[in-house]
Amino acid sequence: EAGVTQSPTHLIKTRGQQATLRCSPISGHTSVYWYQQALGLGLQFLLWYDEGEERNRGNFPPRFSGRQFPNYSSELNVNALELEDSALYLCASSRSPGTASYYGYTFGSGTRLTVV
Amino acid sequence: TQLLEQSPQFLSIQEGENLTVYCNSSSVFSSLQWYRQEPGEGPVLLVTVVTGGEVKKLKRLTFQFGDARKDSSLHITAAQPGDTGLYLCAGFLNAGGTSYGKLTFGQGTILTVHP
């Protein structure tokens, strides 16, 4: 079974540009979650999509947005990039919101975004 | 302010030593999970605890959920270099609203086990 795949693995952008990050969940998983991890420490919740709808978002400005496609894949868009947006962006999936509370999330390896 | 406070933030020990990592909150969690993350990879789930007072063992790792479901600990016996990594606790709040479906992470503990 293929795991959660993210692309690209690395992305270098200039301040003010836009970045698009992509995620394919595990087959059969309908929920996709996005997290930001700075400095190799704790994860900050960004967005949660389930069945094509945004279910919850974290305390991030509106220039962080995304969507989920009919095949449950998802993309995260970051507009007007700032230097402090440099981080590892992790995508995770779960079979459904209810199962995540016991079976947890399955994470991808992340996209390392560097803003210069 | 972190909803889940992990301590210590850094831990450097010798092979064979025991260690404990703590995860504390003033909020009640419906379930709490521990993940381990290695460089260049995403976090991988180690265990989920759901019942207050629950203890789970995974080889040399022992996980405990506090009676009030506000705290948890991870104890490693006879640590090995292969245990090196970032350990993260994470929980689902026992509440709705903006907390719905959101897994909240602690800031993590970087463990280094020297041979």
Side-chain angles (χ1 to χ4, degrees), chain A residues 33 35 37 40-45 48 55-56 88 90 97 100-105 107-109, chain B residues 9 31 33 35 37 40-43 45 48 56 86 88 92 98 100-103 105-107 110:
Chain A
Y33 312 84
Y35 282 81
Q37 185 177 32
L41 291 177
L43 281 67
Q44 300 299 318
F45 172 75
W48 167 31
R55 301 297 185 184
N56 203 347
L88 180 67
L90 290 162
S101 64
Y102 189 81
Y103 294 105
Y105 294 172
F107 282 88
S109 297
Chain B
Q9 190 172 351
S31 69
Q33 301 174 341
Y35 290 78
Q37 185 179 17
E41 301 293 330
L45 179 68
T48 299
K56 280 192 173 179
L86 173 66
L88 295 152
F92 288 95
T98 58
Y100 174 58
K102 184 170 100 174
L103 185 60
F105 282 82
Q107 69 269 50
I110 297 176

Side-chain angles (χ1 to χ4, degrees), chain B residues 10-105:
Chain B
F10 301 95
L11 200 51
S12 180
I13 61 172
Q14 294 297 125
E15 183 176 0
E17 292 184 6
N18 301 332
L19 66 110
T20 302
V21 178
Y22 299 93
C23 181
N24 294 292
S25 177
S26 58
S27 300
V28 176
F29 289 86
S30 58
S31 69
L32 201 137
Q33 301 174 341
W34 286 89
Y35 290 78
R36 177 166 170 251
Q37 185 179 17
E38 298 190 51
E41 301 293 330
V44 175
L45 179 68
L46 294 173
V47 77
T48 299
V49 284
V50 296
T51 305
E54 183 176 3
V55 177
K56 280 192 173 179
K57 292 192 175 184
L58 187 65
K59 296 184 180 178
R60 294 175 294 100
L61 279 60
T62 301
F63 305 86
Q64 187 162 4
F65 202 11
D67 291 341
R69 306 208 317 267
K70 294 182 179 181
D71 57 271
S72 181
S73 64
L74 158 61
H75 182 79
I76 301 179
T77 303
Q80 299 176 358
D83 295 328
T84 294
L86 173 66
Y87 289 82
L88 295 152
C89 68
F92 288 95
L93 277 170
N94 196 29
T98 58
S99 301
Y100 174 58
K102 184 170 100 174
L103 185 60
T104 300
F105 282 82

